[in-house]
Amino acid sequence: MATGNDTLNNLMASSAAALCSRLCTHPLDTVKTRVQVANTPQHLFPTFLHLLRTGGLYRGLPIALTLSVPGLSVYLTTYDVAKNALSKQFPGHLQDSVANHMLSAGVAEVCSGLFWTPMEVLKQKQQIETGSRMTSSTLPAPAQLQQSVRTKTLDLAKMIYRQEGLAGFYRGYFITLGVFVPYSMLYFASYEQLKQMAWARKQRTGAPDIQEHEMLSFLTIVGCAAVACGFAAGVSNIVDVVKTRWQTSILTKNTELSSTRKIAEAMFQQGGLASFTRGMGARILWMVPSVAISMSTFEWFKFHGFA
């Protein structure tokens, strides 16, 4: 099992990874959110250019940094601790197995969701604000989401608390788990298998005495993380679209957005099954570099040590 020093090192490594990843990929996250909440299909590049011109690419970044750092720290550290604990308690069945990786990923997602969900509620609401110069004619979006001015994070948090109390910040927690628990299970199972394949290939091609406590090359880890993330993100996109729309409707009184079932029904009526793939390209485009940066940074700092 991981020692206290190992856990501290993991926390610091994952915090550094969260900062690097979020700063680099937040604009792609903003594009993904805008595409998903639009009532009509939006193209990625024009949406990106529009947000670039209006200064909206980094909207929601402060709250994302504030909560994504502890969120990713809890996520990656819990995964490592759970994986080591299961390997120790069940050496004959769960030691470095796919089942271990999937169970550990599920535990990590449930714990880190306590940070991710409030971040998503606040961040996404700010990301879809249109600003004073943006109208439905320039970038179509649900009418109820149009804003004349940008809302400050603190003011938005106060509005949410007045309307729904503390529970308002956890709007969509369980549907978020419905998106990201399967995503995390698929991701870590794929990621760990890809790393094992990389180790086997490295041993076959001239390094038979290499030990698994040594680190794979930085680019190999980037590649493993990117492939695993692309697969898992694509599969879980269907539920993510519904989750995003439900969370961003928090301050509206539109009864059509009052439940995930009604949102799903409205989406199906608008565009059929294709509606549930909306934003898939943007989601993969955001998540792949985000996860590749965070995992490679985490693995590198964890190996070289902070503590």
Side-chain angles (χ1 to χ4, degrees):
M1 185 179 295
T3 65
N5 198 57
D6 290 335
T7 301
L8 176 61
N9 185 58
N10 285 2
L11 284 169
M12 297 179 72
S14 55
S15 296
L19 284 171
C20 293
S21 174
R22 179 55 62 175
L23 287 172
C24 292
T25 63
H26 187 80
L28 297 174
D29 181 27
T30 303
V31 173
K32 183 269 298 184
T33 301
R34 294 298 296 269
V35 170
Q36 284 186 330
V37 301
N39 282 332
T40 57
Q42 302 296 311
H43 296 291
L44 300 184
F45 191 61
T47 302
F48 173 81
L49 290 179
H50 185 84
L51 290 168
L52 181 64
R53 289 195 302 268
T54 57
L57 285 174
Y58 277 93
R59 195 165 295 162
L61 178 62
I63 190 63
L65 287 177
T66 300
L67 292 176
S68 67
V69 171
L72 188 60
S73 296
V74 169
Y75 180 66
L76 294 177
T77 302
T78 301
Y79 174 76
D80 267 9
V81 170
K83 182 174 70 170
N84 292 332
L86 288 171
S87 294
K88 184 176 181 180
Q89 293 297 321
F90 307 97
H93 302 282
L94 293 179
Q95 187 171 9
D96 203 26
S97 65
V98 172
N100 180 326
H101 303 150
M102 296 183 77
L103 286 172
S104 299
V107 172
E109 193 61 58
V110 170
C111 295
S112 62
L114 298 174
F115 295 92
W116 293 127
T117 305
M119 181 195 77
E120 289 294 308
V121 169
L122 291 166
K123 173 181 66 66
Q124 289 175 349
K125 182 62 179 174
Q126 290 182 320
Q127 285 174 322
I128 64 170
E129 286 180 340
T130 57
S132 58
R133 290 176 296 177
M134 296 170 66
T135 65
S136 58
S137 62
T138 57
L139 185 63
Q144 66 273 13
L145 298 177
Q146 301 295 326
Q147 299 285 338
S148 60
V149 294
R150 293 165 63 175
T151 307
K152 294 181 179 179
T153 302
L154 183 59
D155 292 337
L156 179 58
K158 288 178 179 178
M159 285 190 287
I160 292 172
Y161 186 77
R162 282 198 301 267
Q163 285 199 6
E164 300 194 29
L166 186 62
F169 296 99
Y170 287 93
R171 182 183 179 94
Y173 174 72
F174 291 105
I175 191 175
T176 298
L177 294 184
V179 175
F180 284 103
V181 167
Y183 162 81
S184 291
M185 288 181 168
L186 289 171
Y187 168 74
F188 274 111
S190 303
Y191 176 66
E192 298 283 7
Q193 289 298 306
L194 288 169
K195 284 204 303 181
Q196 290 177 13
M197 291 167 61
W199 277 116
R201 184 177 183 277
K202 196 166 187 176
Q203 289 172 333
R204 289 196 308 268
T205 56
D209 58 340
I210 193 168
Q211 300 296 316
E212 290 206 16
H213 66 267
E214 297 179 27
M215 183 180 174
L216 289 167
S217 72
F218 188 81
L219 289 179
T220 299
I221 292 175
V222 168
C224 292
V227 173
C229 176
F231 167 66
V235 172
S236 59
N237 184 79
I238 295 174
V239 187
D240 186 57
V241 176
V242 178
K243 173 193 74 73
T244 299
R245 285 184 170 232
W246 192 49
Q247 286 180 321
T248 54
S249 70
I250 188 169
L251 296 178
T252 74
K253 296 181 179 180
N254 191 332
T255 57
E256 292 182 359
L257 303 176
S258 61
S259 71
T260 55
R261 181 181 62 82
K262 290 182 178 180
I263 290 173
E265 289 174 350
M267 288 176 62
F268 185 77
Q269 291 173 358
Q270 289 172 6
L273 293 176
S275 295
F276 297 93
T277 64
R278 188 167 298 162
M280 181 181 291
R283 186 168 191 255
I284 293 174
L285 187 63
W286 161 59
M287 290 189 71
V288 167
S290 177
V291 171
I293 292 170
S294 61
M295 286 305 300
S296 56
T297 304
F298 173 68
E299 296 274 21
W300 192 89
F301 279 121
K302 183 175 72 169
F303 178 77
H304 288 85
F306 270 102

